[in-house]
Amino acid sequence: LVLESPNPGVVLAADGCRFHTTTTFRQPCIITSTTDGGVIGNAINATWESLPLDVYSPQFDKIFCYYLSYSMKDEEEDGEEEDVLRLQPRTSSHEPNKFVERTLLLAFGYLRQSLGKETFHSRFCQHGLKSNERVALAIKLRADNDFYSQINHLKQRGLDLTPQNVESLEPFLPCPKDSTTGKVIVNKTGMGSSAALVTSIVGSLLRFFNAASLPIMMDGIDGDHGKQGEGEGLRIAHNLSQICHCYAQGKVGSGFDVSSAVYGSHVYTRFSKEIINKLLEDVELQNKTVQDGLSLTGSNLMQLYELVTDTDNKWDCTVQPIKLPQGLELLMADVCGGSESPSMARKILDWKKNNRDTGFLDGYYWRDLKRCNKKIASLLCDQYTKKTFCDGLIRDGPMIISSRTAEQWRKPMPSTWHEFDG
């Protein structure tokens, strides 16, 4: 439903369920040249600068090694347009990861355009780019345990499958491996991990390059909440993350999961696809003929910068903050198997299309679901914020509501619950 504007989507973001991206400079990862995967040289001319870029994913037991290269010459005003920024794998046996690579490409593209080539370059020069000591920009990705099934870890430790035991596990546990093939087994829990990954990388790079003011999150506490400019910083992070995520998944989605990764719990309505379609098409066209990596042209960078900063208010999505009232708790069941949102959405839309004879001729089911979603949003934004409701929930919740079935809730309640519709 959230794919169709202006239908609202209710986002309840789980506290303590985050991606953590650390960006720093360190020695480049050593790559051993082999017969099936030699080291690729970054053959860039004298007007280009190049830096090793290493992305560490310890939970997936992977390291992705690239060259980040960018032009230092002034872009020509006419003539054939040239690349100004490239991301290349450092080995021919490189294992691609679209969500990492496409996010890095666009994030660095935005940073170069936003900061200007001299300031962008100076950030690297401070750390040995021009010296004899070669350094790499190292990015480490880690996810809280709730993004992936922890059933195997609990069983290995002989622990019962309870929320308390899940909470007792050490943080950032690696995904298990198949005993036969040695491949990592990834069982997602459906918490929007790809969107959280993209948003975390974007936020980390914006902070590292001092390109946006963003809140510091420490142990679940917003360390410098309310600092001037953070609202603008979140808007930049949101817009850039939405573009990166759509480019990575190969289509314009609803933006629901990226918005939750940026803003937490809220009622959301999607942005119009037309806002970013042209940029994605141009970048896709630019990279159709590119071999061994990805690249952006000067016009790509200008388009990207204008979309991210959005002085014309083209982004028409809406965000209304909400929170669960005290006494209500959200529980998630780990079924040890994730799902792919785009394919699920396609199945639902196909079902809708093929069942017009059983109610969809007049859109009954769809309209009924819309009404239900709007009522939930209204309850969270309006009725659940009232003191009468919150006091009643605290008073009656533990003893009465929690021990009755949903059908029994319809019966007369002991206090003022009849005031609350639904």
Side-chain angles (χ1 to χ4, degrees), residues 269-354:
T269 59
R270 70 156 305 146
F271 58 89
S272 301
K273 294 181 180 181
E274 296 74 24
I275 295 171
I276 64 175
N277 257 339
K278 179 66 166 60
L279 171 65
L280 296 184
E281 289 171 0
D282 288 351
V283 173
E284 196 68 51
L285 184 63
Q286 157 69 15
N287 284 284
K288 268 189 175 179
T289 57
V290 176
Q291 295 181 341
D292 298 328
L294 299 165
S295 71
L296 294 173
T297 65
S299 64
N300 292 154
L301 298 192
M302 286 188 284
Q303 268 184 288
L304 177 63
Y305 177 77
E306 289 173 4
L307 267 181
V308 173
T309 53
D310 185 31
T311 55
D312 297 328
N313 295 317
K314 294 178 181 177
W315 292 84
D316 51 357
C317 47
T318 62
V319 173
Q320 182 179 3
I322 57 171
K323 63 179 180 179
L324 284 180
Q326 184 180 356
L328 284 184
E329 186 177 15
L330 181 70
L331 296 180
M332 180 184 70
D334 180 356
V335 296
C336 202
S339 59
E340 186 190 24
S341 299
S343 64
M344 287 180 66
R346 280 193 298 271
K347 289 180 181 178
I348 292 292
L349 293 175
D350 287 343
W351 172 79
K352 176 186 176 185
K353 180 181 177 181
N354 296 327

Coordinates of all heavy atoms in Angstrom, one line a residue, residues 269-354:
T269 N 4.7 8.9 4.2 CA 4.1 8.7 2.8 C 5.2 8.9 1.8 O 6.1 9.7 2.0 CB 3.0 9.7 2.5 OG1 3.5 11.1 2.7 CG2 1.8 9.6 3.5
R270 N 5.2 8.1 0.7 CA 6.3 8.0 -0.2 C 6.6 9.3 -1.0 O 5.7 10.2 -1.1 CB 6.1 6.9 -1.1 CG 5.0 7.0 -2.1 CD 5.2 6.2 -3.4 NE 6.5 6.4 -3.9 CZ 7.3 5.5 -4.5 NH1 6.8 4.2 -4.6 NH2 8.4 5.8 -5.0
F271 N 7.7 9.4 -1.6 CA 8.0 10.4 -2.6 C 7.7 10.0 -4.0 O 7.6 8.8 -4.3 CB 9.5 10.8 -2.5 CG 10.5 9.7 -2.8 CD1 10.9 9.4 -4.1 CD2 11.0 8.9 -1.7 CE1 11.8 8.4 -4.3 CE2 11.9 7.9 -2.0 CZ 12.3 7.6 -3.3
S272 N 7.5 10.9 -4.9 CA 7.2 10.6 -6.3 C 8.4 10.1 -7.0 O 9.5 10.6 -6.9 CB 6.7 11.9 -7.0 OG 5.6 12.5 -6.4
K273 N 8.2 9.0 -7.8 CA 9.3 8.3 -8.5 C 10.0 9.3 -9.4 O 11.2 9.2 -9.6 CB 8.8 7.2 -9.3 CG 8.2 6.0 -8.5 CD 7.7 4.9 -9.4 CE 7.2 3.7 -8.6 NZ 6.7 2.6 -9.4
E274 N 9.3 10.2 -10.0 CA 9.8 11.1 -11.0 C 11.0 11.9 -10.5 O 11.8 12.4 -11.2 CB 8.8 12.0 -11.6 CG 7.6 11.4 -12.3 CD 6.7 10.6 -11.4 OE1 6.6 11.0 -10.2 OE2 6.0 9.7 -11.9
I275 N 11.1 12.1 -9.2 CA 12.1 13.0 -8.6 C 13.5 12.5 -8.9 O 14.4 13.2 -9.2 CB 11.9 13.1 -7.0 CG1 10.6 13.8 -6.7 CG2 13.0 13.8 -6.4 CD1 10.2 13.7 -5.3
I276 N 13.7 11.1 -8.8 CA 15.0 10.6 -9.0 C 15.2 9.7 -10.2 O 16.3 9.3 -10.5 CB 15.5 9.8 -7.7 CG1 14.6 8.6 -7.5 CG2 15.5 10.7 -6.5 CD1 15.1 7.8 -6.3
N277 N 14.1 9.5 -10.9 CA 14.2 8.6 -12.1 C 15.2 9.0 -13.1 O 16.0 8.2 -13.6 CB 12.8 8.5 -12.8 CG 12.1 7.2 -12.4 OD1 12.7 6.3 -12.0 ND2 10.8 7.2 -12.6
K278 N 15.3 10.3 -13.5 CA 16.2 10.8 -14.5 C 17.6 10.6 -14.1 O 18.4 10.1 -14.9 CB 15.9 12.3 -14.7 CG 16.8 12.9 -15.8 CD 16.5 12.4 -17.2 CE 17.2 13.2 -18.3 NZ 18.6 13.3 -18.2
L279 N 18.0 10.9 -12.9 CA 19.4 10.7 -12.4 C 19.7 9.2 -12.5 O 20.8 8.9 -13.0 CB 19.5 11.2 -11.0 CG 20.9 10.8 -10.3 CD1 22.0 11.5 -11.0 CD2 20.9 11.2 -8.8
L280 N 18.9 8.3 -12.0 CA 19.2 6.9 -12.0 C 19.3 6.4 -13.4 O 20.3 5.6 -13.7 CB 18.1 6.1 -11.3 CG 17.9 6.4 -9.8 CD1 16.8 5.5 -9.2 CD2 19.2 6.3 -9.0
E281 N 18.5 6.9 -14.3 CA 18.6 6.4 -15.7 C 20.0 6.9 -16.3 O 20.6 6.2 -17.1 CB 17.5 7.0 -16.6 CG 16.1 6.3 -16.2 CD 14.9 7.0 -16.9 OE1 15.2 8.0 -17.6 OE2 13.8 6.6 -16.7
D282 N 20.3 8.2 -16.0 CA 21.6 8.7 -16.6 C 22.8 8.0 -16.0 O 23.8 7.7 -16.8 CB 21.7 10.2 -16.3 CG 20.7 11.0 -17.1 OD1 20.1 10.4 -18.0 OD2 20.6 12.2 -16.8
V283 N 22.8 7.7 -14.7 CA 23.9 7.0 -14.1 C 24.0 5.5 -14.6 O 25.1 5.0 -14.9 CB 23.8 7.0 -12.6 CG1 24.9 6.1 -11.9 CG2 23.9 8.4 -12.0
E284 N 22.8 4.9 -14.8 CA 22.8 3.6 -15.4 C 23.3 3.5 -16.8 O 24.1 2.6 -17.2 CB 21.4 3.0 -15.3 CG 21.2 1.5 -15.5 CD 21.8 0.7 -14.3 OE1 21.4 1.0 -13.2 OE2 22.6 -0.2 -14.6
L285 N 22.9 4.5 -17.6 CA 23.4 4.6 -19.0 C 24.9 4.8 -19.0 O 25.6 4.3 -19.8 CB 22.7 5.7 -19.7 CG 23.0 5.9 -21.2 CD1 22.6 4.7 -22.0 CD2 22.3 7.2 -21.7
Q286 N 25.4 5.7 -18.1 CA 26.8 6.0 -18.0 C 27.7 4.8 -17.7 O 28.8 4.6 -18.3 CB 27.1 7.1 -16.9 CG 28.5 7.1 -16.3 CD 29.5 7.6 -17.3 OE1 29.2 8.2 -18.3 NE2 30.8 7.4 -17.0
N287 N 27.1 3.8 -17.0 CA 27.9 2.7 -16.5 C 27.6 1.4 -17.3 O 28.2 0.4 -17.0 CB 27.7 2.4 -15.0 CG 28.4 3.4 -14.2 OD1 29.6 3.3 -14.0 ND2 27.7 4.4 -13.6
K288 N 26.8 1.5 -18.4 CA 26.5 0.3 -19.2 C 27.8 -0.1 -19.9 O 28.0 -1.4 -20.1 CB 25.4 0.6 -20.2 CG 24.1 0.3 -19.7 CD 23.0 0.4 -20.9 CE 21.7 0.0 -20.4 NZ 20.6 0.1 -21.4
T289 N 28.6 0.8 -20.3 CA 29.8 0.4 -21.1 C 31.1 0.5 -20.3 O 32.2 0.2 -20.8 CB 30.0 1.4 -22.3 OG1 30.1 2.7 -21.8 CG2 28.8 1.2 -23.2
V290 N 31.0 0.8 -19.0 CA 32.2 0.9 -18.1 C 32.6 -0.6 -17.7 O 31.8 -1.4 -17.3 CB 31.9 1.7 -16.9 CG1 33.1 1.7 -15.9 CG2 31.6 3.1 -17.3
Q291 N 33.9 -0.9 -17.9 CA 34.4 -2.2 -17.5 C 35.2 -2.0 -16.2 O 35.8 -1.0 -16.0 CB 35.3 -2.8 -18.6 CG 34.5 -3.1 -19.9 CD 35.3 -3.7 -20.9 OE1 36.6 -3.6 -20.9 NE2 34.7 -4.4 -21.9
D292 N 35.2 -3.1 -15.4 CA 36.0 -3.1 -14.2 C 35.7 -1.9 -13.3 O 36.6 -1.2 -12.8 CB 37.5 -3.1 -14.5 CG 37.9 -4.3 -15.3 OD1 37.3 -5.4 -15.1 OD2 38.8 -4.2 -16.1
G293 N 34.4 -1.7 -12.9 CA 34.1 -0.7 -11.9 C 32.9 0.1 -12.3 O 32.1 -0.2 -13.2
L294 N 32.8 1.3 -11.7 CA 31.7 2.2 -11.9 C 32.3 3.6 -12.0 O 33.4 3.9 -11.4 CB 30.7 2.2 -10.7 CG 30.0 0.9 -10.4 CD1 29.4 0.9 -9.0 CD2 28.9 0.6 -11.5
S295 N 31.6 4.5 -12.6 CA 32.1 5.9 -12.8 C 30.9 6.9 -12.8 O 29.8 6.5 -13.1 CB 33.0 6.0 -14.0 OG 32.2 6.0 -15.2
L296 N 31.3 8.2 -12.6 CA 30.3 9.3 -12.7 C 31.0 10.4 -13.5 O 32.2 10.6 -13.4 CB 30.0 9.8 -11.3 CG 29.2 8.9 -10.4 CD1 29.1 9.5 -9.0 CD2 27.8 8.5 -10.9
T297 N 30.1 11.1 -14.3 CA 30.6 12.2 -15.0 C 30.3 13.5 -14.3 O 29.6 13.5 -13.2 CB 29.9 12.3 -16.4 OG1 28.5 12.5 -16.2 CG2 30.1 11.0 -17.2
G298 N 30.8 14.6 -14.8 CA 30.5 15.9 -14.2 C 29.0 16.2 -14.1 O 28.5 16.8 -13.1
S299 N 28.3 15.9 -15.2 CA 26.8 16.2 -15.1 C 26.1 15.3 -14.2 O 25.1 15.7 -13.5 CB 26.2 16.1 -16.5 OG 26.3 14.8 -17.0
N300 N 26.6 14.1 -14.0 CA 26.0 13.2 -13.0 C 26.2 13.8 -11.6 O 25.2 13.8 -10.8 CB 26.7 11.8 -13.0 CG 26.5 11.0 -14.2 OD1 27.3 10.2 -14.6 ND2 25.4 11.2 -14.9
L301 N 27.3 14.4 -11.3 CA 27.6 15.0 -10.0 C 26.7 16.2 -9.8 O 26.2 16.3 -8.7 CB 29.1 15.4 -9.9 CG 30.1 14.3 -10.0 CD1 31.5 14.8 -9.5 CD2 29.7 13.1 -9.1
M302 N 26.5 17.0 -10.8 CA 25.7 18.2 -10.6 C 24.2 17.8 -10.4 O 23.5 18.3 -9.5 CB 25.8 19.1 -11.9 CG 27.1 19.8 -11.9 SD 27.1 21.1 -13.3 CE 27.4 20.0 -14.7
Q303 N 23.7 16.8 -11.2 CA 22.4 16.3 -11.0 C 22.2 15.8 -9.5 O 21.2 16.1 -8.9 CB 22.1 15.2 -11.9 CG 21.5 15.5 -13.3 CD 21.2 14.3 -14.1 OE1 22.1 13.6 -14.6 NE2 19.9 13.9 -14.2
L304 N 23.2 15.0 -9.1 CA 23.1 14.4 -7.8 C 23.1 15.4 -6.7 O 22.3 15.4 -5.8 CB 24.3 13.4 -7.6 CG 24.5 12.7 -6.3 CD1 23.3 11.8 -6.0 CD2 25.8 11.9 -6.2
Y305 N 24.0 16.4 -6.8 CA 24.1 17.4 -5.8 C 22.8 18.2 -5.7 O 22.3 18.5 -4.6 CB 25.2 18.4 -6.1 CG 25.3 19.5 -5.2 CD1 25.9 19.3 -3.9 CD2 24.9 20.8 -5.5 CE1 26.0 20.4 -3.0 CE2 25.0 21.9 -4.6 CZ 25.5 21.7 -3.4 OH 25.6 22.7 -2.5
E306 N 22.2 18.6 -6.8 CA 20.9 19.3 -6.8 C 19.8 18.5 -6.2 O 18.9 19.1 -5.5 CB 20.6 19.7 -8.3 CG 21.5 20.8 -8.9 CD 21.2 21.0 -10.3 OE1 20.3 20.4 -10.9 OE2 21.9 21.8 -11.0
L307 N 19.7 17.2 -6.5 CA 18.7 16.4 -5.9 C 18.9 16.2 -4.4 O 17.9 16.3 -3.6 CB 18.7 15.0 -6.5 CG 17.8 14.8 -7.7 CD1 17.9 13.3 -8.2 CD2 16.4 15.1 -7.4
V308 N 20.1 16.0 -3.9 CA 20.3 15.8 -2.5 C 20.1 17.1 -1.7 O 19.4 17.1 -0.7 CB 21.8 15.3 -2.3 CG1 22.1 15.3 -0.8 CG2 22.0 14.0 -2.9
T309 N 20.5 18.2 -2.2 CA 20.3 19.5 -1.5 C 18.9 20.0 -1.6 O 18.4 20.6 -0.7 CB 21.3 20.6 -1.9 OG1 21.3 20.7 -3.4 CG2 22.7 20.2 -1.5
D310 N 18.3 19.8 -2.8 CA 16.8 20.0 -3.1 C 16.3 21.4 -2.5 O 15.5 21.4 -1.7 CB 16.0 18.9 -2.4 CG 14.6 19.0 -2.7 OD1 14.2 19.5 -3.8 OD2 13.7 18.6 -1.9
T311 N 16.9 22.4 -3.1 CA 16.4 23.8 -2.7 C 15.0 24.1 -3.2 O 14.4 25.0 -2.8 CB 17.4 24.8 -3.2 OG1 17.6 24.7 -4.7 CG2 18.8 24.7 -2.6
D312 N 14.5 23.3 -4.2 CA 13.2 23.5 -4.8 C 12.1 22.7 -4.1 O 11.0 22.7 -4.6 CB 13.2 23.2 -6.3 CG 14.2 24.1 -7.1 OD1 14.3 25.2 -6.7 OD2 14.8 23.6 -8.1
N313 N 12.5 22.0 -3.1 CA 11.5 21.1 -2.3 C 10.8 20.1 -3.2 O 9.5 20.0 -3.2 CB 10.5 22.0 -1.6 CG 11.1 22.9 -0.5 OD1 11.9 22.4 0.2 ND2 10.7 24.1 -0.5
K314 N 11.5 19.4 -4.0 CA 10.9 18.4 -4.9 C 10.5 17.2 -4.2 O 9.6 16.5 -4.5 CB 12.0 18.0 -6.0 CG 12.3 19.1 -7.0 CD 13.3 18.7 -8.0 CE 13.7 19.8 -9.0 NZ 14.8 19.4 -9.9
W315 N 11.2 16.8 -3.1 CA 10.9 15.6 -2.3 C 9.6 15.8 -1.6 O 9.5 16.6 -0.7 CB 12.0 15.3 -1.3 CG 13.3 14.9 -1.9 CD1 14.3 15.8 -2.4 CD2 13.8 13.6 -2.1 NE1 15.3 15.0 -2.9 CE2 15.1 13.7 -2.8 CE3 13.3 12.3 -1.9 CZ2 15.8 12.6 -3.1 CZ3 14.0 11.2 -2.2 CH2 15.3 11.4 -2.9
D316 N 8.6 15.1 -2.0 CA 7.2 15.3 -1.5 C 6.8 14.2 -0.5 O 5.6 14.0 -0.2 CB 6.2 15.4 -2.6 CG 6.4 14.2 -3.6 OD1 7.3 13.4 -3.4 OD2 5.5 14.1 -4.5
C317 N 7.8 13.5 0.1 CA 7.5 12.5 1.1 C 7.2 13.2 2.4 O 7.6 14.4 2.6 CB 8.6 11.5 1.3 SG 10.2 12.3 1.4
T318 N 6.4 12.6 3.3 CA 6.1 13.2 4.6 C 6.5 12.3 5.7 O 6.4 11.1 5.6 CB 4.6 13.5 4.7 OG1 3.8 12.3 4.6 CG2 4.1 14.4 3.5
V319 N 6.9 12.9 6.8 CA 7.4 12.2 8.0 C 6.7 12.9 9.2 O 6.9 14.1 9.5 CB 8.9 12.3 8.2 CG1 9.3 11.7 9.5 CG2 9.6 11.5 7.0
Q320 N 5.9 12.1 9.9 CA 5.3 12.5 11.2 C 5.7 11.7 12.3 O 5.3 10.5 12.4 CB 3.7 12.5 11.1 CG 3.0 13.0 12.3 CD 1.5 13.0 12.1 OE1 1.0 12.5 11.1 NE2 0.8 13.5 13.1
P321 N 6.6 12.2 13.2 CA 7.1 11.3 14.3 C 6.0 10.8 15.2 O 5.0 11.4 15.5 CB 8.0 12.3 15.1 CG 8.3 13.4 14.2 CD 7.1 13.5 13.3
I322 N 6.2 9.5 15.6 CA 5.3 8.9 16.6 C 6.1 8.0 17.6 O 7.3 7.8 17.4 CB 4.3 7.9 15.9 CG1 5.1 6.9 15.0 CG2 3.3 8.7 15.0 CD1 4.2 5.7 14.5
K323 N 5.5 7.6 18.6 CA 6.1 6.6 19.5 C 5.1 5.8 20.2 O 3.9 6.2 20.4 CB 7.0 7.3 20.6 CG 6.2 8.2 21.5 CD 7.2 8.9 22.5 CE 6.4 9.8 23.5 NZ 7.4 10.4 24.5
L324 N 5.4 4.6 20.5 CA 4.5 3.7 21.2 C 4.2 4.2 22.6 O 5.2 4.6 23.3 CB 5.0 2.3 21.3 CG 4.9 1.4 20.0 CD1 5.5 0.0 20.3 CD2 3.5 1.3 19.6
P325 N 3.0 4.2 23.1 CA 2.8 4.7 24.5 C 3.4 3.7 25.5 O 3.6 2.5 25.2 CB 1.3 4.7 24.6 CG 0.8 3.8 23.6 CD 1.8 3.8 22.5
Q326 N 3.7 4.2 26.7 CA 4.2 3.3 27.7 C 3.2 2.2 28.0 O 2.0 2.4 28.2 CB 4.5 4.1 29.0 CG 5.2 3.3 30.1 CD 5.4 4.2 31.3 OE1 5.1 5.4 31.3 NE2 5.9 3.6 32.4
G327 N 3.7 1.0 28.1 CA 2.8 -0.2 28.4 C 2.6 -1.0 27.2 O 2.1 -2.2 27.3
L328 N 2.8 -0.5 25.9 CA 2.7 -1.3 24.7 C 4.1 -1.7 24.3 O 5.1 -0.9 24.3 CB 2.1 -0.5 23.6 CG 0.6 -0.3 23.7 CD1 0.1 0.4 22.4 CD2 -0.2 -1.7 23.8
E329 N 4.3 -3.0 23.9 CA 5.6 -3.5 23.5 C 5.5 -4.2 22.2 O 4.5 -4.9 21.9 CB 6.1 -4.5 24.6 CG 7.5 -4.9 24.3 CD 8.1 -5.8 25.4 OE1 7.2 -6.3 26.3 OE2 9.3 -6.1 25.5
L330 N 6.4 -4.1 21.3 CA 6.5 -4.7 20.0 C 7.4 -5.9 20.1 O 8.6 -5.8 20.5 CB 6.9 -3.8 19.0 CG 7.0 -4.3 17.5 CD1 5.6 -4.5 17.0 CD2 7.7 -3.3 16.6
L331 N 6.9 -7.1 19.8 CA 7.8 -8.3 19.8 C 7.9 -8.8 18.4 O 7.0 -8.8 17.6 CB 7.2 -9.4 20.6 CG 7.0 -9.1 22.1 CD1 6.4 -10.3 22.8 CD2 8.4 -8.8 22.7
M332 N 9.1 -9.2 18.0 CA 9.4 -9.8 16.7 C 9.8 -11.2 16.8 O 10.6 -11.6 17.7 CB 10.6 -9.0 16.0 CG 10.9 -9.5 14.6 SD 12.4 -8.7 14.0 CE 13.7 -9.4 15.0
A333 N 9.2 -12.1 16.0 CA 9.5 -13.5 16.0 C 10.6 -13.8 15.0 O 10.5 -13.4 13.8 CB 8.2 -14.3 15.7
D334 N 11.6 -14.6 15.4 CA 12.7 -15.0 14.6 C 12.3 -16.3 13.9 O 12.2 -17.4 14.6 CB 14.0 -15.1 15.4 CG 15.1 -15.6 14.5 OD1 15.0 -15.9 13.3 OD2 16.3 -15.7 15.1
V335 N 12.0 -16.3 12.6 CA 11.6 -17.6 11.9 C 12.7 -18.2 11.2 O 12.5 -19.1 10.4 CB 10.4 -17.3 11.0 CG1 9.2 -16.9 11.8 CG2 10.7 -16.3 10.0
C336 N 13.9 -17.7 11.4 CA 15.2 -18.2 10.8 C 15.1 -18.3 9.2 O 15.4 -19.3 8.6 CB 15.5 -19.6 11.3 SG 17.2 -20.1 11.1
G337 N 14.6 -17.2 8.7 CA 14.5 -17.1 7.2 C 13.9 -15.8 6.8 O 12.8 -15.4 7.3
G338 N 14.7 -15.0 6.0 CA 14.2 -13.7 5.6 C 13.4 -13.7 4.4 O 13.0 -14.7 3.9
S339 N 13.2 -12.5 3.8 CA 12.4 -12.3 2.6 C 13.0 -11.2 1.8 O 13.7 -10.3 2.3 CB 10.9 -12.1 3.0 OG 10.8 -10.9 3.7
E340 N 12.7 -11.2 0.5 CA 13.1 -10.1 -0.4 C 11.9 -9.2 -0.7 O 11.0 -9.7 -1.3 CB 13.7 -10.7 -1.6 CG 14.3 -9.7 -2.5 CD 14.7 -10.2 -3.9 OE1 14.1 -11.2 -4.3 OE2 15.6 -9.6 -4.6
S341 N 12.0 -8.0 -0.2 CA 10.8 -7.1 -0.3 C 10.4 -6.9 -1.7 O 9.2 -6.9 -2.0 CB 11.1 -5.8 0.4 OG 11.4 -6.0 1.7
P342 N 11.3 -6.6 -2.7 CA 10.8 -6.3 -4.1 C 10.0 -7.5 -4.7 O 9.0 -7.3 -5.3 CB 12.1 -6.1 -4.9 CG 13.1 -5.6 -3.8 CD 12.7 -6.3 -2.6
S343 N 10.5 -8.8 -4.5 CA 9.7 -9.9 -5.0 C 8.4 -10.1 -4.3 O 7.4 -10.5 -4.9 CB 10.6 -11.2 -4.9 OG 10.9 -11.5 -3.6
M344 N 8.4 -9.8 -3.0 CA 7.1 -10.0 -2.3 C 6.1 -8.9 -2.8 O 4.9 -9.2 -3.0 CB 7.3 -9.7 -0.8 CG 8.0 -10.9 -0.1 SD 8.2 -10.6 1.7 CE 6.5 -10.5 2.2
A345 N 6.6 -7.7 -3.0 CA 5.7 -6.7 -3.5 C 5.1 -7.0 -4.9 O 3.9 -6.8 -5.2 CB 6.4 -5.3 -3.6
R346 N 6.0 -7.6 -5.7 CA 5.5 -8.0 -7.1 C 4.4 -9.1 -7.0 O 3.4 -9.0 -7.7 CB 6.7 -8.5 -7.9 CG 7.6 -7.5 -8.5 CD 8.5 -8.0 -9.6 NE 9.4 -9.0 -9.0 CZ 10.6 -8.7 -8.5 NH1 11.0 -7.4 -8.5 NH2 11.4 -9.6 -8.1
K347 N 4.6 -10.0 -6.1 CA 3.6 -11.1 -5.9 C 2.2 -10.5 -5.4 O 1.2 -10.9 -5.9 CB 4.1 -12.1 -4.9 CG 5.2 -13.0 -5.4 CD 5.6 -14.0 -4.4 CE 6.8 -14.9 -4.9 NZ 7.3 -15.8 -3.9
I348 N 2.3 -9.5 -4.5 CA 1.1 -8.9 -4.0 C 0.4 -8.2 -5.1 O -0.8 -8.3 -5.3 CB 1.4 -8.0 -2.8 CG1 1.8 -8.8 -1.6 CG2 0.1 -7.1 -2.5 CD1 0.8 -9.6 -1.0
L349 N 1.1 -7.4 -5.9 CA 0.5 -6.6 -7.0 C 0.0 -7.5 -8.1 O -1.0 -7.2 -8.7 CB 1.6 -5.7 -7.6 CG 2.0 -4.5 -6.6 CD1 3.2 -3.7 -7.3 CD2 0.9 -3.6 -6.2
D350 N 0.7 -8.7 -8.4 CA 0.1 -9.6 -9.3 C -1.2 -10.2 -8.8 O -2.1 -10.4 -9.6 CB 1.2 -10.8 -9.6 CG 2.3 -10.3 -10.4 OD1 2.2 -9.2 -11.1 OD2 3.4 -11.0 -10.4
W351 N -1.2 -10.5 -7.5 CA -2.4 -11.1 -6.9 C -3.6 -10.1 -7.0 O -4.7 -10.5 -7.4 CB -2.1 -11.4 -5.4 CG -3.4 -11.8 -4.7 CD1 -4.0 -13.0 -4.7 CD2 -4.1 -11.0 -3.8 NE1 -5.1 -13.0 -3.8 CE2 -5.2 -11.8 -3.3 CE3 -4.0 -9.7 -3.4 CZ2 -6.1 -11.2 -2.4 CZ3 -4.9 -9.1 -2.5 CH2 -5.9 -9.9 -2.0
K352 N -3.3 -8.8 -6.8 CA -4.3 -7.8 -6.9 C -4.8 -7.7 -8.3 O -6.0 -7.6 -8.6 CB -3.7 -6.4 -6.5 CG -4.6 -5.3 -6.7 CD -3.9 -4.0 -6.4 CE -4.9 -2.8 -6.7 NZ -4.2 -1.5 -6.5
K353 N -3.9 -7.8 -9.3 CA -4.3 -7.7 -10.7 C -5.1 -8.8 -11.2 O -6.0 -8.7 -12.0 CB -3.0 -7.5 -11.6 CG -3.2 -7.4 -13.0 CD -1.9 -7.4 -13.8 CE -2.1 -7.3 -15.3 NZ -0.8 -7.2 -16.0
N354 N -4.8 -10.0 -10.7 CA -5.4 -11.3 -11.2 C -6.7 -11.6 -10.4 O -7.3 -12.6 -10.7 CB -4.4 -12.4 -11.1 CG -3.3 -12.2 -12.0 OD1 -3.4 -11.6 -13.1 ND2 -2.1 -12.7 -11.6

